[in-house]
Amino acid sequence: MGVPAFFRWLSRKYSSIIVHCVEEKGKECNGVRIPVDTTKPNPNEVEFDNLYLDMNGIIHPCTHPEDKPAPKNEDEMMVAIFEYIDRLFNIVRPRRVLYMAIDGVAPRAKMNQQRSRRFRASKEGVELVEEKNRMREEVIQRGGYLPPEEIKERFDSNCITPGTEFMDNLAQCLRYYVADRLSNDPGWRNVVVFLSDASVPGEGEHKIMDYIRRQRAQPNHDPNTHHCLCGADADLIMLGLATHEPNFTIIREEFKPNKPRPCALCGQIGHEIKDCQGVAREKQGQHDEFADSMPASEQEFIFIRLCVLREYLARELTMASLPFPFDFERSVDDWVFMCFFVGNDFLPHLPSLEIREGAIDRLVNIYKDVVHKTGGYLTENGYVNLERVEMIMQAVGVAEDNIFKKRKEDDESFKRRMKEKRKRAKQAERGPAYMTTGQFAPQALGRRDRPEAVQNARHQAFDMRMQSREQHNKDAAQSLKATMRNGGNSSAGPSDSSDSRGVKRKAEDSDSEPEPEDNVRLWEDGWKQRYYKTKFDVDVTDEDFRRKVVRSYVEGLCWVLRYYYQGCVSWKWYFPFHYAPFASDFKDIKGLFTEFEKGTKPFKPLEQLMGVFPAASGNFLPETWRSLMMSPDSSIIDFYPDDFAIDLNGKKYAWQGVALLPFVDERRLRAALADVYPDLTPEEVRRNSLGSDLLFLGKSHPLFDFIHELYRAESLEGTEIPAELCHGIQGTLNLDDDPILPDKAVTSPIPMLRDISQNSAIGVKYKDPHYAEDFVFKAVLLSGAKMPNKVLKPGDWERGNREPWRPQLGFNPNRQQAHLDQSGFRALGHNLNRNQHGRGQYSNAPPPGNYQQGYRPQHGGGHQPFQHSRQNSLLGAPPPFQQPQYPRPIVARCHLRQQQQQQYGGGGGGHGWDRASQSQQSAYQQNAVRGQGGAGSSSYQQRYDQRRDGWHERRDDHRDDRRDNRGQHHQSYSSSRSYPPPPPSRRYTWK
């Protein structure tokens, strides 16, 4: 769900929910790439059970990236998607389930937004081509240089829609990818993989939520399953809260604003197409070897810890002296519901509620004031109490007039500040009349380099006078040009003479951009009358129409909440207006909604394409279907306008406006398609049918033999999954028509990738557990669920935006960070050439020697370090030590510390190393026990706090063992897999 500014507001208000991912990187040895061993414990010091991928958030950046060159063809796109999934799997390392969900046919309420996005994308593409042609002509006429125009087919991102050949090919490629990883990657060996491709109806994130809901309702579900959901949409946060799972984490790309983008005309970075001057490209590198490369850094990932967000909400939503028992889980549901008023994919936000203006905080304050009068909560298990919601809306309606006036005041204040800022920037750019150089040049304080001595003082003074004279000549020329432009009336140059005061500046010289016309003027009296007349073309006195708009919006609120908590209750409902009513219009809404129509069915894939595609994307449809979009004689030609208006609706940018497109009439569409259905080929008929989820697993999984036996017996009926063989997962299995079977070669759909000759994976159709249509999924904590330890400290509540924010790496707040001490800085300063302009020799690289390759021990075997993307500091962090078993590590560590003390005559130098090593070993030991013991284990944070509190007790308990095992540290690490002991700390201190 695209809720603008929601994540920014959430991350600033509740900053501790964000944790930066620690990512282990693969190595390269003698030209051979060594992949990451994902069987080792997670470097983030937390173990995840299930990883869910909202695939559309992966497909779009891989097919048409914004910060790097786009793939040349479809095969490269598929490989980029594979690599993206590999990277996520490396970071999260799920131990039970990997669920990949691609957006299928969406509900009708979502199709309206999809239609708007695709029409916008088509219109913007046409406008970009026109602007490029116009700017190219202007630049060439001015004598500028532009590279020759490349003749290549533009990738139409509208093909990422169910029913297209691209999505069908993607499904085949993902089947191959899953089979390859299950056959060759040890980290996938015991993972169950679900693939829900575009033929399965439903949005990707809601297919994932439906899976979680149905598994939670099963008696064998593990209530302490740790979920991790990947996606960038803001609604994933609210969907995660709606599950009421205590261990739910979201992983997403870290947003970095103001990334440089190349000019669409000349391909250079640093300006937009409208500012292109046609300057020849500068040489990139000594031999121009970086000519086709873009300066882009690898995208980092962050975790959003919903358990920490629940801690924040528990403090914020807790209310005393209620006339009914306080239930935190119910208050979370109400908070999720109130967030719908500021925007979602299915309803426009109320005019008086903007996230940037603190709308959610306003709603929460009103909620806490009114809930004493409501007699209960606003929602229950996804069902809305409209009588109580009306009290909230009326309280917002009372403040609407003040909200609009305050919005105008803030907007005017912002414009004044920006105008002053631009004025200061111009003055700073102008600078003094001349700038001295050499010995007389101004020097920054604290710089160690010395200015060059003046060789000839007379020549230096002459240069300064000439520079001043040239500046005066430039000012005079600018003044003359301005006088000629203004007809000789007055001067408009840099002079401060009084003659220029009455001259009006031209538009291109203005400090501010032209503001869009706002005919509604919500900050003035009569705003409601103007709003309904301008937006709906009705008079405000038309009570029946206003009532109709409010009824549709109330239905939408009930539909959205039910969609989040119970699944899609109606595939055909949608909000039939472009604008929302006012909060003050929500009067007597208790009886406006009864129930949705039951038994509705989703569109078929090709039918949805007809509902969301513009005529420019008709090449993805059959020829006869395409003619319905373009032929003037078509009965539905009005659904596909060539151009349409965009109402900015008080916003500044076009992407924030409302696309005024006609709504598709389902009955007219189906009637028109009835005549062209017979023209479909067998391949198009297959793509137009609804599919099923697929389940894959490898030979080492306990469920493998059970599924293999189904294929041997050629079972034609659905078979229930034995819960004891698959971590409590239940559902129905059916044989696949084109299955992936063990010991049967899998052909690669991508020419650049090899076939899988020794396949050990098996695939089968999967269906979620079935429930009655009137079954209600309970929005509660499950019995046996153990809440994770508290993370927030007293200082975190008041921190907010008032203190500098420091990122946390991984889930362990006590992770030891590496940094240089004073001697390190002295050594670095000795090697840097400070008189050299630009960067020094080691300004962007680690020092040579052992540190660049990792911290190598003097005693013990060859420990192989790895590097984290977040820890590529000057020296890098010490490589954490992984150990599958933990028989007596404290003994070995203490023995190594004694050796280090004897060698260097001191102690304590390796405490940071020891604590990091101990934390990593203890974490993996506890997770190994958890994997054997089942659901009763506690979270990583609980185990860490228990280990820290009992540190001194365990140290005393092992004192005798330390004496007995002195000198036996190599033997104490014996296990089925040989791992060397942790290295000694030497004389360097890690702080």
Side-chain angles (χ1 to χ4, degrees), residues 7 24 39 67 94 114 184 190 244 280 353 434 453 456 465 488 490 492 548 570 624 776 794 824 941:
F7 176 71
E24 183 180 349
T39 60
D67 56 348
Q114 292 178 334
N184 301 311
N190 295 316
H244 293 274
L353 297 177
Y434 59 89
N456 191 319
R465 289 195 299 272
S490 60
K548 182 180 179 182
S570 173
T624 54
V776 177
Q941 187 62 38

Side-chain angles (χ1 to χ4, degrees), residues 795-939:
D796 296 328
W797 303 113
E798 289 79 19
R799 181 190 305 173
N801 298 324
R802 291 185 292 273
E803 292 185 9
W805 177 77
R806 296 182 62 187
Q808 175 180 323
L809 294 177
F811 280 63
N812 182 3
N814 298 305
R815 177 185 294 271
Q816 298 299 316
Q817 305 272 340
H819 67 276
L820 288 174
D821 55 12
Q822 294 182 358
S823 61
F825 278 109
R826 287 195 299 270
L828 185 63
H830 178 74
N831 286 277
L832 285 176
N833 183 6
R834 295 193 175 275
N835 290 322
Q836 176 184 355
H837 296 287
R839 297 183 176 181
Q841 183 179 3
Y842 301 115
S843 60
N844 197 29
N850 292 337
Y851 302 118
Q852 187 172 1
Q853 302 299 327
Y855 203 84
R856 299 186 181 276
Q858 288 183 345
H859 312 284
H863 173 65
Q864 295 296 328
F866 62 84
Q867 299 175 354
H868 297 310
S869 63
R870 286 279 178 187
Q871 295 176 346
N872 287 336
S873 60
L874 190 62
L875 292 184
F881 176 75
Q882 293 90 11
Q883 182 66 23
Q885 296 184 6
Y886 191 69
R888 287 172 294 186
I890 297 179
V891 177
R893 186 175 62 254
C894 294
H895 178 70
L896 289 173
R897 181 179 300 166
Q898 290 175 357
Q899 288 185 352
Q900 179 262 338
Q901 292 174 354
Q902 293 174 4
Q903 182 177 356
Y904 297 108
H911 289 182
W913 179 287
D914 294 337
R915 283 195 295 268
S917 175
Q918 177 196 5
S919 173
Q920 190 76 7
Q921 295 163 356
S922 177
Y924 189 70
Q925 177 211 17
Q926 296 290 345
N927 277 278
V929 174
R930 177 172 182 252
Q932 300 170 1
S937 61
S938 60
S939 69

Side-chain angles (χ1 to χ4, degrees), residues 886-895 898 918 921-922 925 947 950-966 972:
Y886 191 69
R888 287 172 294 186
I890 297 179
V891 177
R893 186 175 62 254
C894 294
H895 178 70
Q898 290 175 357
Q918 177 196 5
Q921 295 163 356
S922 177
Q925 177 211 17
R947 179 191 56 76
W951 161 252
H952 297 289
E953 297 178 5
R954 293 199 305 272
R955 192 172 182 177
D956 294 337
D957 293 339
H958 285 277
R959 185 172 300 162
D960 295 334
D961 294 338
R962 188 165 62 245
R963 298 192 186 100
D964 298 336
N965 291 275
R966 191 181 301 268
S972 66

Side-chain angles (χ1 to χ4, degrees), residues 232-484:
D233 289 343
D235 66 336
L236 298 183
I237 297 173
M238 289 174 274
L239 284 169
L241 290 173
T243 63
H244 293 274
E245 288 285 292
N247 300 296
F248 205 106
T249 305
I250 294 172
I251 182 174
R252 60 176 286 167
E253 289 185 355
E254 182 184 17
F255 175 70
K256 296 180 179 179
N258 303 323
K259 284 186 177 180
R261 295 184 181 181
C263 171
L265 194 60
C266 66
Q268 300 183 51
I269 293 177
H271 62 271
E272 298 180 1
I273 184 173
K274 62 181 181 180
D275 302 320
C276 186
Q277 300 297 323
V279 180
R281 179 180 57 81
E282 296 182 2
K283 188 178 180 181
Q284 303 291 326
Q286 183 177 1
H287 303 289
D288 204 22
E289 63 271 20
F290 304 117
D292 299 325
S293 63
M294 294 177 60
S297 59
E298 190 175 31
Q299 184 67 52
E300 302 287 353
F301 288 89
I302 58 174
F303 286 122
I304 304 174
R305 300 179 292 179
L306 296 192
C307 60
V308 180
L309 179 57
R310 286 170 58 92
E311 288 186 48
Y312 278 113
L313 294 179
R315 178 181 175 91
E316 187 165 347
L317 299 176
T318 299
M319 296 166 282
S321 304
L322 288 177
F324 51 88
F326 176 74
D327 187 344
F328 171 64
E329 304 301 326
R330 295 282 300 277
S331 64
V332 169
D333 294 337
D334 287 356
W335 186 85
V336 171
F337 174 71
M338 288 185 291
C339 289
F340 295 158
F341 289 103
V342 298
N344 54 71
D345 283 348
F346 318 102
L347 293 170
H349 69 86
L350 297 180
S352 55
L353 297 177
E354 291 276 0
I355 292 182
R356 297 175 179 88
E357 300 171 355
I360 298 179
D361 291 330
R362 182 188 300 274
L363 286 170
V364 169
N365 293 332
I366 292 175
Y367 170 76
K368 295 172 73 172
D369 291 338
V370 175
V371 74
H372 294 270
K373 307 173 186 177
T374 60
Y377 296 96
L378 305 180
T379 66
E380 182 177 10
N381 298 324
Y383 291 82
V384 184
N385 189 312
L386 294 177
E387 186 176 6
R388 297 169 182 171
V389 172
E390 181 179 343
M391 301 177 69
I392 302 288
M393 289 293 96
Q394 287 302 309
V396 176
V398 170
E400 273 186 326
D401 192 44
N402 293 331
I403 292 174
F404 295 143
K405 292 180 179 178
K406 178 69 163 52
R407 180 182 300 171
K408 180 62 175 178
E409 293 174 0
D410 292 343
D411 188 44
E412 293 295 332
S413 176
F414 175 76
K415 291 178 182 177
R416 287 194 299 270
R417 293 196 306 271
M418 293 305 296
K419 185 175 182 179
E420 293 295 327
K421 183 178 180 180
R422 285 192 293 267
K423 184 183 296 185
R424 292 193 300 268
K426 286 187 177 180
Q427 293 175 353
E429 289 178 2
R430 184 176 303 173
Y434 59 89
M435 182 69 69
T436 58
T437 58
Q439 184 175 349
F440 304 108
Q443 301 291 332
L445 295 177
R447 292 189 61 177
R448 298 185 182 181
D449 51 343
R450 298 291 181 265
E452 299 175 358
V454 174
Q455 302 296 329
N456 191 319
R458 294 182 61 185
H459 285 183
Q460 181 73 21
F462 175 78
D463 291 339
M464 292 167 58
R465 289 195 299 272
M466 294 303 296
Q467 189 176 3
S468 176
R469 183 179 301 177
E470 290 174 0
Q471 183 63 39
H472 287 306
N473 291 339
K474 290 180 181 179
D475 292 344
Q478 291 179 1
S479 179
L480 179 60
K481 290 180 180 179
T483 303
M484 297 175 64

Side-chain angles (χ1 to χ4, degrees), residues 97-136:
V97 170
L98 172 63
Y99 197 112
M100 296 186 288
I102 306 173
D103 282 359
V105 175
R108 182 75 169 82
K110 174 73 173 183
M111 286 174 59
N112 287 338
Q113 191 218 45
Q114 292 178 334
R115 175 177 168 86
S116 175
R117 286 179 177 174
R118 283 154 178 77
F119 270 77
R120 283 171 182 265
S122 178
K123 182 177 181 179
E124 291 169 358
V126 173
E127 292 175 348
L128 178 62
V129 172
E130 294 177 353
E131 186 178 9
K132 285 178 63 176
N133 294 335
R134 181 180 59 83
M135 289 297 301
R136 176 174 287 274

Side-chain angles (χ1 to χ4, degrees), residues 38-101:
T38 53
T39 60
K40 294 181 179 180
N42 196 316
N44 292 281
E45 302 190 41
V46 62
E47 293 296 334
F48 294 99
D49 296 311
N50 299 356
L51 171 60
Y52 311 96
L53 303 180
D54 182 9
M55 290 296 296
N56 281 61
I58 298 175
I59 298 170
H60 281 281
C62 290
T63 53
H64 50 103
E66 296 181 352
D67 56 348
K68 59 183 178 182
K72 295 182 177 61
N73 51 51
E74 199 167 295
D75 293 336
E76 290 189 5
M77 295 178 187
M78 299 301 167
V79 173
I81 293 172
F82 297 168
E83 292 175 349
Y84 198 108
I85 300 174
D86 283 339
R87 191 174 174 208
L88 286 170
F89 194 95
N90 169 33
I91 296 173
V92 179
R93 304 189 184 185
R95 304 307 183 190
R96 296 181 183 176
V97 170
L98 172 63
Y99 197 112
M100 296 186 288

